[in-house]
Coordinates of all heavy atoms in Angstrom, one line a residue:
M211 N -7.6 1.8 -14.7 CA -7.1 2.8 -13.9 C -5.7 3.2 -14.3 O -5.5 4.4 -14.6 CB -7.1 2.4 -12.4 CG -6.7 3.5 -11.5 SD -6.6 3.1 -9.8 CE -8.2 2.2 -9.4
V212 N -4.7 2.4 -14.4 CA -3.4 2.7 -14.8 C -3.1 2.0 -16.1 O -3.3 0.7 -16.2 CB -2.4 2.2 -13.7 CG1 -1.0 2.4 -14.2 CG2 -2.6 3.1 -12.4
T213 N -2.7 2.7 -17.1 CA -2.3 2.1 -18.4 C -0.9 1.7 -18.6 O -0.5 0.9 -19.3 CB -2.8 2.9 -19.6 OG1 -2.1 4.2 -19.4 CG2 -4.3 3.1 -19.6
D214 N 0.0 2.4 -17.8 CA 1.4 2.2 -17.8 C 2.0 2.1 -16.4 O 1.9 3.0 -15.6 CB 2.1 3.3 -18.5 CG 3.6 3.2 -18.6 OD1 4.1 2.1 -18.5 OD2 4.3 4.2 -19.0
V215 N 2.4 0.8 -16.2 CA 2.9 0.6 -14.8 C 4.0 1.5 -14.4 O 4.1 1.9 -13.2 CB 3.4 -0.9 -14.6 CG1 4.1 -1.2 -13.2 CG2 2.3 -1.8 -14.8
A216 N 4.9 1.8 -15.3 CA 6.0 2.8 -15.0 C 5.5 4.1 -14.5 O 6.3 4.8 -13.8 CB 6.9 3.0 -16.2
S217 N 4.4 4.5 -14.9 CA 3.8 5.8 -14.4 C 3.6 5.9 -12.9 O 3.5 7.0 -12.3 CB 2.6 6.2 -15.2 OG 1.5 5.3 -14.8
L218 N 3.5 4.7 -12.2 CA 3.3 4.8 -10.8 C 4.6 5.1 -10.0 O 4.5 5.6 -8.9 CB 2.8 3.4 -10.4 CG 1.4 3.0 -10.9 CD1 1.1 1.5 -10.6 CD2 0.4 4.0 -10.1
F219 N 5.8 4.8 -10.6 CA 7.0 4.9 -9.8 C 7.2 6.4 -9.4 O 6.9 7.3 -10.1 CB 8.2 4.4 -10.6 CG 8.2 3.0 -10.8 CD1 7.8 2.4 -12.0 CD2 8.7 2.1 -9.8 CE1 7.8 1.0 -12.2 CE2 8.6 0.7 -10.0 CZ 8.2 0.2 -11.2
D220 N 7.6 6.5 -8.0 CA 7.9 7.9 -7.5 C 6.7 8.6 -7.2 O 6.8 9.8 -6.8 CB 8.9 8.7 -8.3 CG 10.3 8.1 -8.2 OD1 10.7 7.5 -7.2 OD2 10.9 8.2 -9.3
L221 N 5.4 8.2 -7.4 CA 4.2 9.0 -7.1 C 4.0 8.9 -5.7 O 4.4 7.9 -4.9 CB 3.0 8.3 -7.8 CG 2.9 8.4 -9.3 CD1 1.5 7.8 -9.7 CD2 2.9 9.9 -9.7
T222 N 3.5 10.0 -5.1 CA 3.2 10.1 -3.6 C 1.9 9.4 -3.4 O 1.0 9.6 -4.1 CB 3.2 11.6 -3.2 OG1 4.4 12.2 -3.6 CG2 3.0 11.8 -1.7
V223 N 1.8 8.7 -2.2 CA 0.7 7.9 -1.9 C 0.0 8.6 -0.6 O 0.7 8.9 0.4 CB 1.0 6.4 -1.5 CG1 -0.3 5.7 -1.1 CG2 1.7 5.8 -2.7
Y224 N -1.2 8.8 -0.7 CA -2.0 9.3 0.4 C -3.2 8.5 0.6 O -3.7 7.7 -0.2 CB -2.6 10.8 0.1 CG -1.6 11.9 0.0 CD1 -0.9 12.1 -1.2 CD2 -1.1 12.5 1.2 CE1 0.0 13.2 -1.3 CE2 -0.1 13.5 1.0 CZ 0.4 13.8 -0.2 OH 1.4 14.7 -0.3
T225 N -3.8 8.6 1.9 CA -5.0 7.9 2.2 C -6.2 8.7 1.7 O -6.0 9.9 1.6 CB -5.2 7.5 3.6 OG1 -5.4 8.7 4.4 CG2 -4.0 6.8 4.3
D226 N -7.4 8.2 1.7 CA -8.6 8.9 1.2 C -9.0 9.9 2.4 O -9.9 10.7 2.2 CB -9.7 8.0 0.9 CG -10.1 7.0 2.0 OD1 -9.4 7.0 3.1 OD2 -11.0 6.2 1.8
K227 N -8.3 9.8 3.5 CA -8.6 10.8 4.6 C -7.4 11.9 4.6 O -7.4 12.7 5.5 CB -8.5 10.1 5.9 CG -9.7 9.2 6.1 CD -9.8 8.6 7.5 CE -11.0 7.7 7.6 NZ -11.3 7.2 8.9
G228 N -6.6 11.9 3.6 CA -5.6 12.9 3.5 C -4.3 12.6 4.1 O -3.4 13.6 4.1
Y229 N -4.0 11.5 4.6 CA -2.7 11.3 5.3 C -1.7 10.8 4.3 O -1.9 10.0 3.5 CB -2.9 10.2 6.4 CG -3.7 10.6 7.6 CD1 -5.1 10.4 7.6 CD2 -3.1 11.3 8.7 CE1 -5.8 10.9 8.8 CE2 -3.8 11.7 9.7 CZ -5.2 11.5 9.8 OH -5.9 12.0 10.8
Y230 N -0.6 11.3 4.5 CA 0.6 10.9 3.7 C 1.1 9.5 4.1 O 1.1 9.1 5.2 CB 1.8 11.9 3.9 CG 3.1 11.5 3.3 CD1 3.3 11.8 1.9 CD2 4.1 10.8 4.0 CE1 4.5 11.4 1.3 CE2 5.3 10.4 3.4 CZ 5.5 10.7 2.0 OH 6.6 10.4 1.4
I231 N 1.4 8.6 3.0 CA 1.8 7.3 3.2 C 3.3 7.1 2.9 O 4.0 6.6 3.6 CB 0.9 6.3 2.5 CG1 -0.5 6.3 3.1 CG2 1.4 4.8 2.5 CD1 -0.6 5.9 4.5
G232 N 3.6 7.6 1.7 CA 5.1 7.4 1.2 C 5.1 7.6 -0.3 O 4.2 8.2 -0.8
K233 N 6.1 7.1 -0.9 CA 6.3 7.2 -2.3 C 6.4 5.8 -2.9 O 7.0 4.9 -2.2 CB 7.6 7.9 -2.7 CG 7.5 9.4 -2.4 CD 8.4 10.2 -3.3 CE 8.2 11.7 -3.2 NZ 7.6 12.2 -4.3
V234 N 5.9 5.5 -4.1 CA 5.9 4.3 -4.7 C 7.4 4.0 -5.1 O 8.0 4.7 -5.8 CB 5.0 4.2 -5.9 CG1 5.2 2.9 -6.6 CG2 3.5 4.5 -5.5
Y235 N 7.9 2.9 -4.6 CA 9.3 2.5 -4.9 C 9.3 1.4 -6.0 O 10.2 1.4 -6.8 CB 9.9 1.9 -3.6 CG 11.2 1.3 -3.7 CD1 12.4 2.1 -3.9 CD2 11.4 -0.1 -3.8 CE1 13.6 1.5 -4.1 CE2 12.6 -0.7 -4.0 CZ 13.7 0.1 -4.1 OH 15.0 -0.5 -4.3
D236 N 8.3 0.4 -5.9 CA 8.2 -0.7 -6.8 C 6.8 -1.1 -6.9 O 5.9 -0.7 -6.1 CB 9.1 -1.8 -6.3 CG 9.5 -2.8 -7.3 OD1 9.2 -2.6 -8.5 OD2 10.2 -3.8 -6.9
V237 N 6.6 -1.9 -7.9 CA 5.2 -2.5 -8.1 C 5.5 -4.0 -8.3 O 6.3 -4.4 -9.0 CB 4.6 -1.9 -9.5 CG1 3.3 -2.5 -9.8 CG2 4.5 -0.4 -9.3
E238 N 4.6 -4.8 -7.6 CA 4.6 -6.3 -7.8 C 3.4 -6.6 -8.8 O 2.3 -6.1 -8.6 CB 4.5 -7.0 -6.5 CG 5.7 -6.7 -5.7 CD 5.6 -7.5 -4.3 OE1 4.6 -8.2 -4.0 OE2 6.6 -7.5 -3.6
I239 N 3.7 -7.5 -9.7 CA 2.7 -7.9 -10.7 C 2.4 -9.4 -10.5 O 3.3 -10.2 -10.4 CB 3.1 -7.5 -12.1 CG1 3.4 -6.0 -12.2 CG2 2.2 -8.1 -13.2 CD1 4.0 -5.6 -13.6
D240 N 1.0 -9.7 -10.6 CA 0.7 -11.0 -10.6 C 0.6 -11.5 -12.1 O -0.3 -11.1 -12.8 CB -0.8 -11.2 -10.0 CG -1.3 -12.7 -9.9 OD1 -0.7 -13.5 -10.7 OD2 -2.2 -12.9 -9.2
A241 N 1.7 -12.2 -12.5 CA 1.8 -12.6 -13.9 C 0.7 -13.4 -14.4 O 0.3 -13.3 -15.6 CB 3.2 -13.3 -14.1
S242 N 0.2 -14.3 -13.6 CA -0.8 -15.3 -14.0 C -2.1 -14.5 -14.3 O -2.9 -14.8 -15.2 CB -1.0 -16.4 -13.0 OG -1.5 -15.8 -11.8
E243 N -2.4 -13.4 -13.4 CA -3.6 -12.6 -13.6 C -3.4 -11.5 -14.5 O -4.3 -10.8 -14.9 CB -4.1 -12.2 -12.2 CG -4.5 -13.3 -11.3 CD -5.9 -13.9 -11.8 OE1 -6.7 -13.2 -12.3 OE2 -6.0 -15.1 -11.5
R244 N -2.1 -11.2 -14.9 CA -1.7 -10.0 -15.6 C -2.3 -8.7 -15.1 O -2.9 -7.9 -15.7 CB -2.2 -10.2 -17.1 CG -1.6 -11.5 -17.8 CD -2.1 -11.7 -19.0 NE -1.6 -10.7 -20.0 CZ -1.8 -10.6 -21.2 NH1 -2.6 -11.4 -21.8 NH2 -1.4 -9.5 -21.9
R245 N -2.0 -8.5 -13.8 CA -2.5 -7.3 -13.1 C -1.5 -6.9 -12.0 O -0.7 -7.7 -11.6 CB -3.9 -7.5 -12.6 CG -4.0 -8.5 -11.4 CD -5.4 -8.7 -10.9 NE -5.5 -9.7 -9.8 CZ -5.2 -9.4 -8.6 NH1 -5.0 -8.2 -8.2 NH2 -5.3 -10.4 -7.7
I246 N -1.6 -5.7 -11.5 CA -0.8 -5.2 -10.4 C -1.4 -5.8 -9.2 O -2.6 -5.7 -9.0 CB -0.8 -3.7 -10.4 CG1 -0.2 -3.0 -11.6 CG2 -0.1 -3.2 -9.1 CD1 -0.4 -1.5 -11.8
S247 N -0.6 -6.3 -8.4 CA -1.0 -6.9 -7.1 C -0.7 -6.0 -5.9 O -1.4 -6.0 -4.9 CB -0.5 -8.4 -6.9 OG 1.0 -8.3 -6.8
T248 N 0.5 -5.4 -6.0 CA 1.0 -4.7 -4.8 C 1.8 -3.5 -5.1 O 2.6 -3.5 -6.1 CB 1.9 -5.6 -3.9 OG1 1.3 -6.9 -3.7 CG2 2.4 -5.0 -2.6
L249 N 1.7 -2.4 -4.3 CA 2.6 -1.2 -4.4 C 3.6 -1.4 -3.2 O 3.1 -1.6 -2.1 CB 1.8 0.1 -4.3 CG 0.9 0.4 -5.4 CD1 0.2 1.7 -5.0 CD2 1.4 0.5 -6.8
V250 N 4.9 -1.2 -3.6 CA 5.9 -1.1 -2.5 C 6.2 0.3 -2.3 O 6.6 1.0 -3.2 CB 7.1 -2.0 -2.9 CG1 8.2 -1.9 -1.8 CG2 6.8 -3.4 -3.3
V251 N 6.0 0.8 -1.0 CA 6.1 2.2 -0.7 C 7.4 2.3 0.2 O 7.6 1.6 1.2 CB 4.8 2.7 0.0 CG1 5.0 4.1 0.5 CG2 3.6 2.5 -0.8
E252 N 8.2 3.3 -0.2 CA 9.4 3.5 0.7 C 9.2 4.7 1.7 O 8.4 5.5 1.4 CB 10.6 3.8 -0.2 CG 10.6 5.0 -1.0 CD 11.8 5.2 -1.9 OE1 12.8 4.6 -1.7 OE2 11.7 6.0 -2.8
N253 N 10.0 4.6 2.8 CA 10.0 5.6 3.7 C 8.5 6.0 4.1 O 8.0 7.1 4.2 CB 10.7 6.9 3.3 CG 12.1 6.5 3.0 OD1 12.8 5.9 3.8 ND2 12.6 7.2 2.0
Y254 N 7.7 4.9 4.5 CA 6.4 5.0 4.7 C 6.0 5.6 6.1 O 6.9 5.6 7.0 CB 5.6 3.6 4.6 CG 6.2 2.6 5.6 CD1 5.6 2.5 6.8 CD2 7.3 1.8 5.2 CE1 6.0 1.6 7.8 CE2 7.8 1.0 6.2 CZ 7.1 0.8 7.5 OH 7.7 0.0 8.4
N255 N 4.8 6.1 6.2 CA 4.4 6.8 7.5 C 4.0 5.7 8.4 O 3.0 5.0 8.4 CB 3.1 7.6 7.1 CG 2.6 8.3 8.3 OD1 2.9 8.0 9.5 ND2 1.7 9.2 8.1
K256 N 4.9 5.6 9.5 CA 4.7 4.5 10.5 C 3.6 4.7 11.4 O 3.2 3.9 12.1 CB 6.1 4.3 11.2 CG 7.2 3.7 10.4 CD 8.5 3.7 11.1 CE 9.6 3.0 10.2 NZ 9.9 3.7 8.9
D257 N 3.0 5.9 11.4 CA 1.8 6.2 12.3 C 0.6 5.6 11.6 O -0.3 5.4 12.3 CB 1.6 7.7 12.5 CG 2.7 8.5 13.3 OD1 3.3 7.7 14.1 OD2 3.0 9.6 13.0
I258 N 0.7 5.4 10.3 CA -0.5 4.8 9.6 C -0.2 3.3 9.3 O -1.2 2.5 9.5 CB -0.9 5.6 8.3 CG1 -1.0 7.1 8.6 CG2 -2.0 4.9 7.6 CD1 -2.3 7.4 9.4
I259 N 0.9 3.0 8.8 CA 1.2 1.7 8.3 C 2.1 1.0 9.4 O 3.2 1.3 9.6 CB 2.1 1.7 7.0 CG1 1.4 2.4 5.9 CG2 2.5 0.2 6.6 CD1 0.0 1.9 5.5
N260 N 1.3 0.2 10.3 CA 1.9 -0.4 11.4 C 1.2 -1.7 11.8 O 0.2 -2.1 11.1 CB 2.0 0.6 12.6 CG 0.7 1.1 13.0 OD1 -0.4 0.3 13.1 ND2 0.5 2.4 13.1
E261 N 1.7 -2.4 12.8 CA 1.1 -3.6 13.2 C -0.4 -3.5 13.7 O -1.2 -4.4 13.5 CB 1.9 -4.3 14.3 CG 3.3 -4.7 13.8 CD 4.1 -5.3 14.8 OE1 3.9 -5.3 16.0 OE2 5.2 -5.8 14.4
E262 N -0.7 -2.3 14.2 CA -2.1 -2.1 14.6 C -3.1 -2.0 13.4 O -4.3 -2.3 13.6 CB -2.3 -0.8 15.4 CG -1.6 -0.9 16.8 CD -1.7 0.5 17.5 OE1 -2.4 1.3 17.0 OE2 -1.3 0.5 18.7
T263 N -2.6 -1.6 12.2 CA -3.4 -1.7 11.1 C -3.2 -2.9 10.2 O -3.7 -3.0 9.1 CB -3.2 -0.4 10.1 OG1 -1.8 -0.3 9.9 CG2 -3.7 0.8 11.0
G264 N -2.5 -3.9 10.8 CA -2.4 -5.2 10.2 C -1.2 -5.5 9.3 O -1.1 -6.5 8.6
F265 N -0.2 -4.6 9.3 CA 1.0 -4.8 8.6 C 2.1 -5.5 9.3 O 2.2 -5.2 10.5 CB 1.5 -3.4 8.0 CG 0.7 -2.9 6.9 CD1 -0.4 -2.1 7.3 CD2 0.9 -3.1 5.6 CE1 -1.3 -1.6 6.3 CE2 0.2 -2.6 4.7 CZ -1.0 -1.8 4.9
N266 N 2.8 -6.4 8.7 CA 4.0 -7.0 9.2 C 5.2 -6.2 8.8 O 5.6 -6.3 7.7 CB 4.1 -8.4 8.8 CG 5.4 -9.2 9.4 OD1 6.0 -8.5 10.3 ND2 5.6 -10.3 9.0
V267 N 5.6 -5.2 9.6 CA 6.5 -4.2 9.2 C 7.9 -4.4 9.5 O 8.8 -3.8 8.9 CB 6.0 -2.8 9.6 CG1 4.8 -2.4 8.9 CG2 5.8 -2.7 11.1
A268 N 8.2 -5.1 10.6 CA 9.6 -5.5 10.9 C 10.5 -4.3 11.0 O 10.0 -3.2 11.5 CB 10.2 -6.6 10.0
E269 N 11.7 -4.4 10.4 CA 12.6 -3.2 10.5 C 12.9 -2.7 9.0 O 13.9 -2.2 8.7 CB 14.0 -3.7 11.0 CG 13.9 -4.1 12.6 CD 13.7 -2.8 13.4 OE1 14.1 -1.7 13.1 OE2 12.9 -3.0 14.4
S270 N 12.0 -2.8 8.1 CA 12.1 -2.4 6.8 C 11.8 -0.9 6.6 O 10.9 -0.4 7.3 CB 11.3 -3.3 5.9 OG 11.4 -2.8 4.5
S271 N 12.4 -0.3 5.6 CA 12.0 1.1 5.3 C 11.0 1.1 4.1 O 10.6 2.1 3.7 CB 13.3 1.9 4.9 OG 13.8 1.3 3.6
K272 N 10.5 -0.1 3.8 CA 9.5 -0.2 2.8 C 8.3 -1.0 3.3 O 8.4 -1.9 4.1 CB 10.1 -1.0 1.5 CG 11.2 -0.2 0.9 CD 11.8 -0.8 -0.2 CE 13.0 -0.1 -0.8 NZ 14.1 0.1 0.1
A273 N 7.1 -0.7 2.8 CA 5.8 -1.4 3.1 C 5.1 -1.8 1.9 O 5.2 -1.0 0.8 CB 5.0 -0.5 4.0
K274 N 4.4 -2.9 1.9 CA 3.6 -3.4 0.8 C 2.1 -3.0 1.0 O 1.6 -3.3 2.0 CB 3.7 -4.9 0.6 CG 5.1 -5.3 0.2 CD 5.2 -6.8 -0.1 CE 6.6 -7.2 -0.5 NZ 6.6 -8.6 -0.9
I275 N 1.6 -2.4 0.0 CA 0.2 -1.9 0.0 C -0.5 -2.8 -1.0 O -0.2 -2.7 -2.2 CB 0.0 -0.5 -0.4 CG1 1.0 0.4 0.6 CG2 -1.4 0.0 -0.3 CD1 0.6 0.5 2.0
P276 N -1.6 -3.5 -0.7 CA -2.4 -4.2 -1.7 C -3.0 -3.3 -2.7 O -3.5 -2.2 -2.4 CB -3.5 -4.9 -1.0 CG -3.0 -4.8 0.4 CD -2.1 -3.7 0.6
Y277 N -2.8 -3.5 -4.0 CA -3.2 -2.7 -5.0 C -4.8 -2.6 -5.0 O -5.4 -1.5 -5.4 CB -2.9 -3.1 -6.4 CG -3.1 -2.1 -7.5 CD1 -2.3 -0.9 -7.5 CD2 -4.1 -2.2 -8.4 CE1 -2.5 0.1 -8.5 CE2 -4.3 -1.2 -9.3 CZ -3.5 -0.1 -9.4 OH -3.7 0.9 -10.3
R278 N -5.4 -3.6 -4.4 CA -6.9 -3.5 -4.3 C -7.4 -2.2 -3.4 O -8.5 -1.8 -3.4 CB -7.5 -4.7 -3.8 CG -7.2 -5.1 -2.4 CD -7.8 -6.4 -1.9 NE -7.6 -6.7 -0.5 CZ -6.5 -7.3 -0.1 NH1 -5.7 -7.8 -0.9 NH2 -6.4 -7.5 1.2
W279 N -6.4 -1.7 -2.7 CA -6.7 -0.6 -1.8 C -6.7 0.7 -2.6 O -7.1 1.8 -2.0 CB -5.7 -0.4 -0.6 CG -5.9 -1.4 0.5 CD1 -6.7 -2.6 0.5 CD2 -5.5 -1.2 1.8 NE1 -6.7 -3.1 1.7 CE2 -5.9 -2.3 2.5 CE3 -4.7 -0.3 2.4 CZ2 -5.6 -2.5 3.9 CZ3 -4.4 -0.4 3.8 CH2 -4.8 -1.5 4.5
V280 N -6.1 0.7 -3.8 CA -6.0 1.9 -4.6 C -7.4 2.4 -5.1 O -8.0 1.6 -5.7 CB -4.9 1.7 -5.7 CG1 -5.0 3.0 -6.7 CG2 -3.6 1.5 -5.2
T281 N -7.7 3.6 -4.9 CA -9.0 4.1 -5.3 C -8.8 5.1 -6.5 O -9.7 5.3 -7.3 CB -9.8 4.8 -4.2 OG1 -9.0 5.9 -3.7 CG2 -10.2 3.8 -3.1
A282 N -7.6 5.7 -6.6 CA -7.2 6.6 -7.7 C -5.7 6.6 -7.9 O -4.9 6.6 -6.9 CB -7.8 8.0 -7.4
A283 N -5.3 6.8 -9.1 CA -3.9 7.0 -9.4 C -3.8 7.8 -10.7 O -4.2 7.4 -11.8 CB -3.3 5.6 -9.7
A284 N -3.1 9.0 -10.5 CA -2.9 9.9 -11.6 C -1.6 10.6 -11.2 O -0.5 10.1 -11.4 CB -4.1 10.8 -11.9
D285 N -1.8 11.8 -10.7 CA -0.5 12.7 -10.3 C -0.1 12.1 -8.9 O 1.0 12.4 -8.6 CB -0.9 14.2 -10.2 CG -1.1 14.7 -11.7 OD1 -0.6 14.2 -12.6 OD2 -1.9 15.7 -11.7
I286 N -1.0 11.6 -8.2 CA -0.8 11.0 -6.9 C -1.6 9.7 -6.8 O -2.4 9.4 -7.7 CB -1.2 11.8 -5.7 CG1 -2.7 12.1 -5.7 CG2 -0.4 13.2 -5.7 CD1 -3.2 12.8 -4.4
V287 N -1.3 8.9 -5.8 CA -2.1 7.6 -5.6 C -2.9 7.8 -4.3 O -2.3 8.3 -3.3 CB -1.1 6.4 -5.4 CG1 -1.9 5.2 -5.1 CG2 -0.3 6.2 -6.7
I288 N -4.1 7.5 -4.4 CA -5.0 7.5 -3.2 C -5.4 6.1 -2.9 O -5.8 5.3 -3.7 CB -6.3 8.4 -3.5 CG1 -5.8 9.8 -3.8 CG2 -7.2 8.4 -2.2 CD1 -6.9 10.7 -4.1
I289 N -5.3 5.7 -1.5 CA -5.6 4.4 -1.1 C -6.7 4.5 0.0 O -6.8 5.6 0.6 CB -4.5 3.6 -0.5 CG1 -3.8 4.2 0.8 CG2 -3.4 3.4 -1.6 CD1 -2.9 3.4 1.5
R290 N -7.4 3.5 0.2 CA -8.3 3.5 1.3 C -7.6 3.6 2.6 O -6.5 3.0 2.8 CB -9.1 2.2 1.4 CG -10.1 2.0 0.3 CD -11.1 0.9 0.5 NE -10.4 -0.3 1.0 CZ -10.3 -1.4 0.5 NH1 -10.8 -1.6 -0.7 NH2 -9.7 -2.4 1.0
H291 N -8.1 4.4 3.6 CA -7.4 4.5 4.8 C -7.5 3.1 5.7 O -8.5 2.7 5.9 CB -8.1 5.6 5.7 CG -7.3 6.1 6.9 ND1 -6.4 6.9 6.8 CD2 -7.3 5.5 8.2 CE1 -5.8 7.2 8.0 NE2 -6.4 6.3 8.9
P292 N -6.3 2.6 6.1 CA -6.4 1.3 6.8 C -7.0 1.5 8.2 O -6.8 2.4 8.9 CB -4.9 0.9 7.0 CG -4.1 2.2 6.8 CD -5.0 3.1 5.9
A293 N -7.8 0.5 8.5 CA -8.5 0.5 9.8 C -7.7 -0.4 10.8 O -7.0 -1.3 10.4 CB -9.9 -0.2 9.6
R294 N -7.8 -0.1 12.1 CA -7.1 -0.9 13.0 C -7.8 -2.2 13.1 O -9.0 -2.3 13.0 CB -7.2 -0.2 14.5 CG -6.5 1.1 14.5 CD -6.3 1.6 15.9 NE -5.8 3.0 16.0 CZ -4.6 3.3 15.8 NH1 -3.7 2.3 15.5 NH2 -4.2 4.5 15.9
K295 N -7.0 -3.3 13.3 CA -7.7 -4.6 13.3 C -7.3 -5.3 14.7 O -6.3 -5.0 15.3 CB -7.0 -5.5 12.2 CG -7.4 -5.1 10.8 CD -7.0 -6.1 9.8 CE -7.9 -6.0 8.7 NZ -8.1 -7.2 8.0
S296 N -8.1 -6.2 15.0 CA -7.9 -7.1 16.2 C -6.9 -8.1 15.9 O -6.7 -8.5 14.6 CB -9.2 -7.6 16.6 OG -9.7 -8.6 15.7
A297 N -6.3 -8.7 16.8 CA -5.3 -9.9 16.6 C -6.0 -11.1 15.9 O -5.5 -11.7 15.1 CB -4.8 -10.2 17.9
A298 N -7.3 -11.3 16.3 CA -8.0 -12.4 15.7 C -8.3 -12.2 14.2 O -8.1 -13.2 13.5 CB -9.3 -12.6 16.5
S299 N -8.6 -11.0 13.8 CA -8.9 -10.8 12.4 C -7.6 -10.8 11.6 O -7.6 -11.3 10.5 CB -9.7 -9.6 12.2 OG -8.9 -8.4 12.5
M300 N -6.5 -10.4 12.2 CA -5.2 -10.5 11.5 C -4.8 -11.9 11.3 O -4.2 -12.2 10.3 CB -4.1 -9.6 12.2 CG -4.3 -8.2 12.0 SD -2.8 -7.2 12.7 CE -3.3 -7.2 14.5
A301 N -4.9 -12.8 12.3 CA -4.6 -14.1 12.3 C -5.3 -14.9 11.2 O -4.8 -15.9 10.5 CB -4.7 -14.8 13.6
S302 N -6.6 -14.5 10.9 CA -7.4 -15.2 10.0 C -7.3 -14.6 8.5 O -7.9 -15.2 7.7 CB -8.9 -15.1 10.4 OG -9.3 -13.8 10.3
D303 N -6.6 -13.6 8.4 CA -6.5 -13.0 7.0 C -5.6 -13.9 6.1 O -4.5 -14.5 6.5 CB -5.8 -11.7 7.1 CG -6.1 -10.8 5.9 OD1 -6.4 -11.4 4.9 OD2 -5.9 -9.6 6.0
S304 N -6.1 -14.2 4.9 CA -5.5 -15.2 4.0 C -4.3 -14.6 3.2 O -3.5 -15.3 2.6 CB -6.5 -15.7 3.1 OG -7.1 -14.7 2.3
D305 N -4.2 -13.3 3.0 CA -3.2 -12.8 2.1 C -1.9 -12.5 2.8 O -0.9 -12.1 2.1 CB -3.7 -11.5 1.3 CG -3.9 -10.3 2.1 OD1 -3.6 -10.4 3.3 OD2 -4.4 -9.3 1.6
G306 N -1.7 -12.7 4.0 CA -0.5 -12.5 4.7 C 0.0 -11.1 5.0 O 1.0 -10.8 5.6
L307 N -0.9 -10.2 4.5 CA -0.6 -8.8 4.8 C -1.4 -8.3 6.0 O -1.1 -7.1 6.4 CB -0.9 -7.9 3.6 CG 0.0 -8.2 2.3 CD1 -0.6 -7.4 1.1 CD2 1.4 -7.8 2.6
G308 N -2.3 -9.0 6.4 CA -3.2 -8.6 7.5 C -4.2 -7.6 7.1 O -4.5 -6.7 7.9
L309 N -4.6 -7.6 5.9 CA -5.4 -6.6 5.4 C -6.8 -7.1 5.0 O -6.9 -8.2 4.5 CB -4.8 -5.9 4.2 CG -3.4 -5.5 4.4 CD1 -2.7 -5.0 3.1 CD2 -3.4 -4.3 5.4

Protein backbone atom coordinates (compact mmCIF):
# COMPACT_ATOMS: atom_id res chain seq x y z
CA MET A 1 0.00 0.00 0.00
CA VAL A 2 2.67 2.54 1.03
CA THR A 3 6.17 2.31 -0.44
CA ASP A 4 7.67 5.34 1.34
CA VAL A 5 6.78 6.04 4.98
CA ALA A 6 7.67 9.71 4.60
CA SER A 7 4.83 10.08 2.06
CA LEU A 8 2.32 9.65 4.91
CA PHE A 9 3.38 12.73 6.88
CA ASP A 10 0.89 15.62 6.78
CA LEU A 11 -1.73 13.60 4.87
CA THR A 12 -5.32 14.22 5.90
CA VAL A 13 -7.11 11.23 7.44
CA TYR A 14 -10.81 10.49 6.85
CA THR A 15 -13.03 7.56 7.79
CA ASP A 16 -14.64 5.41 5.12
CA LYS A 17 -17.88 7.20 5.99
CA GLY A 18 -16.37 10.56 5.04
CA TYR A 19 -15.62 11.98 8.50
CA TYR A 20 -12.49 14.08 9.01
CA ILE A 21 -10.10 12.57 11.58
CA GLY A 22 -6.96 14.75 11.48
CA LYS A 23 -3.51 14.97 9.91
CA VAL A 24 -0.72 12.40 10.13
CA TYR A 25 1.87 13.77 12.55
CA ASP A 26 4.06 10.69 12.98
CA VAL A 27 4.30 7.02 12.12
CA GLU A 28 5.27 4.23 14.50
CA ILE A 29 7.07 1.25 13.01
CA ASP A 30 7.28 -2.28 14.38
CA ALA A 31 10.98 -2.90 13.74
CA SER A 32 10.82 -6.64 14.34
CA GLU A 33 7.99 -7.06 11.81
CA ARG A 34 9.40 -4.35 9.50
CA ARG A 35 5.99 -2.74 9.02
CA ILE A 36 4.00 0.34 10.02
CA SER A 37 2.07 -0.31 13.21
CA THR A 38 0.46 3.04 14.08
CA LEU A 39 -0.37 6.43 12.63
CA VAL A 40 -0.15 9.32 15.09
CA VAL A 41 -2.74 11.92 14.16
CA GLU A 42 -2.63 15.50 15.47
CA ASN A 43 -5.57 17.78 16.25
CA TYR A 44 -7.88 14.82 15.83
CA ASN A 45 -11.68 14.92 15.63
CA LYS A 46 -12.81 14.34 19.22
CA ASP A 47 -16.34 13.55 18.05
CA ILE A 48 -15.02 10.38 16.36
CA ILE A 49 -11.84 9.52 18.30
CA ASN A 50 -12.94 9.31 21.93
CA GLU A 51 -13.40 6.92 24.83
CA GLU A 52 -16.74 5.70 23.44
CA THR A 53 -14.93 4.36 20.37
CA GLY A 54 -12.26 2.73 22.52
CA PHE A 55 -9.46 5.27 22.59
CA ASN A 56 -7.58 6.29 25.72
CA VAL A 57 -7.34 9.96 24.77
CA ALA A 58 -6.51 11.78 28.04
CA GLU A 59 -5.51 15.41 27.42
CA SER A 60 -3.39 14.93 24.33
CA SER A 61 -3.77 16.74 21.04
CA LYS A 62 -2.62 13.54 19.29
CA ALA A 63 -4.28 10.15 18.89
CA LYS A 64 -2.88 6.81 17.75
CA ILE A 65 -4.67 4.97 14.96
CA PRO A 66 -3.74 1.33 14.34
CA TYR A 67 -2.39 0.99 10.82
CA ARG A 68 -4.52 -2.13 10.33
CA TRP A 69 -7.48 0.30 10.13
CA VAL A 70 -6.05 1.95 7.01
CA THR A 71 -7.93 0.91 3.90
CA ALA A 72 -6.27 3.32 1.44
CA ALA A 73 -3.36 5.78 1.42
CA ALA A 74 -2.43 8.04 -1.49
CA ASP A 75 -3.36 11.75 -1.54
CA ILE A 76 -5.35 11.17 1.66
CA VAL A 77 -5.58 8.32 4.17
CA ILE A 78 -8.85 6.45 4.62
CA ILE A 79 -9.49 4.38 7.74
CA ARG A 80 -12.36 2.16 8.82
CA HIS A 81 -14.90 4.14 10.80
CA PRO A 82 -14.49 3.26 14.52
CA ALA A 83 -17.49 1.63 16.17
CA ARG A 84 -18.67 2.42 19.66
CA LYS A 85 -17.53 -0.24 22.11
CA SER A 86 -18.86 -1.53 25.38
CA ALA A 87 -16.73 -1.28 28.51
CA ALA A 88 -16.38 -5.08 28.60
CA SER A 89 -14.98 -5.29 25.08
CA MET A 90 -12.54 -2.42 25.73
CA ALA A 91 -11.24 -4.11 28.89
CA SER A 92 -10.61 -7.37 27.02
CA ASP A 93 -8.78 -5.77 24.10
CA SER A 94 -5.15 -6.86 23.97
CA ASP A 95 -3.47 -4.03 22.05
CA GLY A 96 -4.12 -1.33 24.66
CA LEU A 97 -5.82 0.96 22.19
CA GLY A 98 -9.27 -0.41 22.82
CA LEU A 99 -9.68 -1.25 19.16
